[in-house]
Amino acid sequence: MKDVNKGKSRHVVVVIDGATLGILEQSAELMELFVELGIRADSVICCRVSPAQKALVVKTVRAKIVHTVTLAIGDGANDIAMIQEANVGIGITGKEGLQAARSSDYSIAQFRFLERLLFVHGRWSYVRVSKFVLGTFYKCATFYLTQGLFQIFTGYSGTSLYEQWTLSFYNTLFSSLPVMVVGMFEQDLKASTLLLVPELYTFGQRNGGFSLMTYATWMAAACYQALACLLVPLWIAGAIGKFGVEPDDESLFSMGLGVYTTIVLVVTFKIAYLETHNWSIVTHITSLMTIIAWFGYNTVYSFFYPIRTAGYHVRGAFQSLAKHLPFWLTVLVAFSIAMIPNIMAKILKAQMSPTDVDLYQELEKD
């Protein structure tokens, strides 16, 4: 054990049988020493052990290394206890029946499929979940920060920049598809690359896709883009010059429409294209559907909205704005100011401080 701790012994393999393990179980000190040695060894082989002992080994390792994710794989009924004790249990369907497969989290037909399950699908799943969570927080922060910042111009009266029904449909109709597509179809690297370079699997172990720093980066982008999407339309509308917007101002809905349109375009572009590596036909279709849904909603809604309700002049407002070039130029300028710094930062980071993922993505293009 001393030689292992000092690094004098290389390629250490521990072999233990069920009888010896039974003796170790009776002494907490010996069991602690065995676990310490097993953690530092390259491999540990437990032969002729009972189902309870298999589960004990997994349980002891989980208790010793709290933040480690354990995986157990087996093909028979005697492996069920071990599979259920581990964080991730994998059952192999084979000659010994389906008991292990039915008790597991994942089921595979052959042991060799474990490589692809971990290095490809496991890593893709981690990347997808990370980007889905980050994208969900980002799109909500970007949109609702504009509401909070807008209160500066209303004397904190609680006046909403957006009409109530349009406000409530944001998460459902106008921002849900991009994050859902990322969460289901994102592939930052090809399967062949991940199988050829198994070291890329450590991306998840090092919290490369989701960490406090990554979250802070997304939130910083949300804050800046919310400011850009809000202040540019308000400045052009003159609200910043007079530093105030009345609750019954006839231009209130028009200003909100410009800000909302910019937010939809910015959020869709960032999530579906800037932060996504795998641009598929599904990405293009859902992004287009989101934008069409926004403009289609406004076209239809403006016809059925009451002539005058709660200070919002909605009836015919969108059709009137769509005919004027300044509205589209305002959206274009706000979109550009919001996105260009984010695009430049991403390019500079990839050029000056590339990660392993950036390098292999470049290699895949060749």
Side-chain angles (χ1 to χ4, degrees), residues 73-241:
I73 182 170
D75 62 350
N78 59 342
D79 297 316
I80 291 177
M82 173 184 66
I83 289 173
Q84 293 181 337
E85 185 64 45
N87 296 100
V88 180
I90 300 176
I92 303 176
T93 57
K95 296 180 180 179
E96 296 194 32
L98 299 174
Q99 293 93 330
R102 289 171 178 169
S103 304
S104 62
D105 300 305
Y106 300 94
S107 177
I108 56 178
Q110 298 179 29
F111 187 83
R112 63 186 179 91
F113 295 155
L114 179 63
E115 179 185 26
R116 191 174 185 87
L117 179 64
L118 288 179
F119 294 157
V120 178
H121 297 290
R123 192 182 183 284
W124 281 349
S125 178
Y126 170 75
V127 171
R128 289 165 182 168
V129 171
S130 298
K131 289 190 176 181
F132 176 82
V133 173
L134 291 169
T136 301
F137 278 102
Y138 159 79
K139 72 183 183 68
C140 292
T142 305
F143 180 72
Y144 292 108
L145 273 173
T146 58
Q147 279 279 68
L149 293 169
F150 180 67
Q151 297 309 305
I152 299 173
F153 301 95
T154 65
Y156 298 95
S157 64
T159 302
S160 176
L161 178 60
Y162 313 115
E163 188 273 330
Q164 57 184 356
W165 283 103
T166 309
L167 172 66
S168 65
F169 283 139
Y170 173 75
N171 276 317
T172 307
L173 298 180
F174 311 129
S175 65
S176 60
L177 287 180
V179 290
M180 290 173 63
V181 171
V182 170
M184 291 188 290
F185 300 106
E186 172 63 338
Q187 298 177 10
D188 62 334
L189 291 168
K190 295 179 181 178
S192 57
T193 303
L194 296 174
L195 291 173
L196 189 64
V197 190
E199 289 80 6
L200 291 169
Y201 184 73
T202 60
F203 178 75
Q205 296 173 331
R206 293 182 282 105
N207 297 322
F210 192 90
S211 64
L212 185 60
M213 180 59 69
T214 307
Y215 176 80
T217 302
W218 279 72
M219 291 302 103
C223 293
Y224 169 76
Q225 290 169 353
L227 277 169
C229 293
L230 175 70
L231 296 183
V232 172
L234 291 188
W235 175 69
I236 294 175
I240 294 180

Side-chain angles (χ1 to χ4, degrees), residues 5-65:
N5 287 334
K6 294 179 180 179
K8 295 181 179 180
S9 300
R10 297 183 179 180
H11 307 298
V12 178
V13 177
V14 179
V15 181
I16 188 171
D17 60 6
T20 307
L21 187 58
I23 297 173
L24 297 180
E25 291 178 43
Q26 300 173 8
S27 172
E29 184 178 350
L30 290 176
M31 195 65 185
E32 177 78 11
L33 187 63
F34 167 69
V35 173
E36 286 282 353
L37 179 60
I39 292 171
R40 287 169 170 74
D42 295 313
S43 300
V44 179
I45 301 175
C46 301
C47 55
R48 298 185 180 279
V49 293
S50 66
Q53 288 176 324
K54 292 180 181 180
L56 176 65
V57 172
V58 175
K59 182 179 180 180
T60 308
V61 171
R62 286 187 62 181
K64 181 66 178 178
I65 315 177

